[in-house]
Amino acid sequence: MDLKRVLAAGLTAAILSTTPALAAGCGNGAPGFPGWLAQFKAEAPRYGLKPRVVESALSGVSYDSKVIRLDRSQHSFKLSFEQFYAKRVNNAMIKRGQQLRQSYAGVFRRIEQRYGVPAPILLSIWGLETNYGGFSGNMPVLRSLATLAYDCRRSRFFTEELVAALMIVQRGDMRPSEMRGAWAGEIGQTQFLATNYVKYAVDFDRDGRRDLIRSSADALASTANYLKAHGWRAGQGWGPGTANHNVLKQWNKATVYQKTIAVMASKIAQ
């Protein structure tokens, strides 16, 4: 790791440890958003963000009422496992995962050698999150995160995410216009939160950028890096009751999602 990356890693750690103290307040409804955004811009440089980066990245960002509606209407995880699995997985997805396991065999082999995470688990997550990179979202990440950071319901959490997203821009991994994702700001082919992007994204294809949107290799290796960091045990199973199944709980808190990852991965492995 060169000096530049060492310094960047230290700066990232400092940002993520101090962001909760970022005190731009919060609000409910569009009228207060411009004032909040101006205050955020003024305070964000205290956390290692360059004023020109913040101003440029957040120029023209506005309140998005659609994001708030979506935040208030999440129902999928109230389904039973059988209902959730039937809604999210089908035989075509399993077959596609098996095909991709062959076509990306070299990438998966190198990833498993480095991180210990096998292809079926990564394929299952990849398929569930974005249909193997087919659709990773088209909403402007910075607009979504700014809206949610301003909103009082989870302001502190999303303020951290907004600061991390701006760090992604600052370190040159993506331009603001490239950062399009899910309504809550998840980014890339396996839907990383911005804080996890900063901490775990890797440049596996060695093109100089950690690009989890356009590089499948970066996205898959970054996912493996995340799982390894959370305790994945190489060479072991992932069914309920195993240490690796507990790691899946760190990927997604919903029990139905964890079980779906495990079951889908086992079918892909056949």
Side-chain angles (χ1 to χ4, degrees):
M1 181 179 289
D2 59 30
L3 179 60
K4 182 178 179 181
R5 292 195 176 186
V6 170
L7 292 173
L11 179 58
T12 296
I15 288 171
L16 295 179
S17 66
T18 58
T19 298
L22 194 64
C26 68
N28 294 292
F33 182 79
W36 174 89
L37 186 62
Q39 187 178 355
F40 176 87
K41 289 179 180 179
E43 294 177 350
R46 292 167 48 198
Y47 301 90
L49 295 168
K50 298 176 182 177
R52 61 175 178 79
V53 171
V54 175
E55 185 59 43
S56 175
L58 297 181
S59 176
V61 167
S62 58
Y63 182 83
D64 191 342
S65 57
K66 179 181 178 181
V67 167
I68 300 301
R69 289 197 303 272
L70 290 167
D71 182 57
R72 305 295 195 265
S73 60
Q74 301 178 69
H75 303 296
S76 293
F77 296 137
K78 296 178 181 179
L79 300 174
S80 69
F81 165 70
E82 290 76 15
Q83 291 170 325
F84 185 81
Y85 189 88
K87 183 177 180 180
R88 298 295 297 271
V89 183
N90 55 47
N91 289 336
M93 284 183 67
I94 300 297
K95 184 176 181 180
R96 176 65 174 152
Q98 292 170 335
Q99 292 170 339
L100 288 167
R101 186 180 182 185
Q102 296 301 317
S103 58
Y104 281 80
V107 172
F108 284 122
R109 183 173 59 254
R110 293 194 301 275
I111 289 174
E112 186 166 7
Q113 287 172 348
R114 184 174 301 182
Y115 302 106
V117 182
I121 284 290
L122 298 175
L123 283 158
S124 181
I125 291 172
W126 193 18
L128 287 169
E129 295 289 356
T130 64
N131 194 21
Y132 305 111
F135 184 71
S136 60
N138 59 10
M139 298 182 71
V141 166
L142 292 171
R143 181 180 181 182
S144 293
L145 291 179
T147 297
L148 291 165
Y150 163 69
D151 184 62
C152 287
R153 193 169 87 85
R154 289 188 287 171
S155 179
R156 177 172 292 188
F157 175 85
F158 282 107
T159 297
E160 279 194 41
E161 296 303 325
L162 178 57
V163 171
L166 290 165
M167 175 54 68
I168 293 168
V169 174
Q170 181 165 292
R171 71 185 189 181
D173 288 329
M174 285 193 201
R175 295 185 293 273
S177 61
E178 296 171 324
M179 296 179 69
R180 303 185 75 87
W183 66 265
E186 299 95 338
I187 307 168
Q189 295 187 32
T190 56
Q191 298 287 273
F192 266 49
L193 292 171
T195 50
N196 288 334
Y197 199 122
V198 169
K199 288 186 283 188
Y200 302 112
V202 296
D203 177 18
F204 201 69
D205 63 11
R206 299 184 179 182
D207 69 349
R209 302 172 64 188
R210 287 154 284 202
D211 186 348
L212 307 193
I213 292 178
R214 290 171 297 190
S215 172
S216 297
D218 285 3
L220 293 167
S222 298
T223 304
N225 187 36
Y226 176 97
L227 295 174
K228 179 182 178 181
H230 285 80
W232 188 271
R233 298 184 182 180
Q236 297 189 17
W238 53 76
T242 65
N244 285 339
H245 196 81
N246 287 333
V247 174
L248 297 180
K249 295 178 182 179
Q250 303 303 311
W251 180 264
N252 192 295
K253 302 300 183 185
T255 301
V256 292
Y257 205 99
Q258 299 153 15
K259 189 173 180 180
T260 297
I261 292 173
V263 171
M264 184 176 171
S266 294
K267 291 188 176 183
I268 290 173
Q270 293 175 356

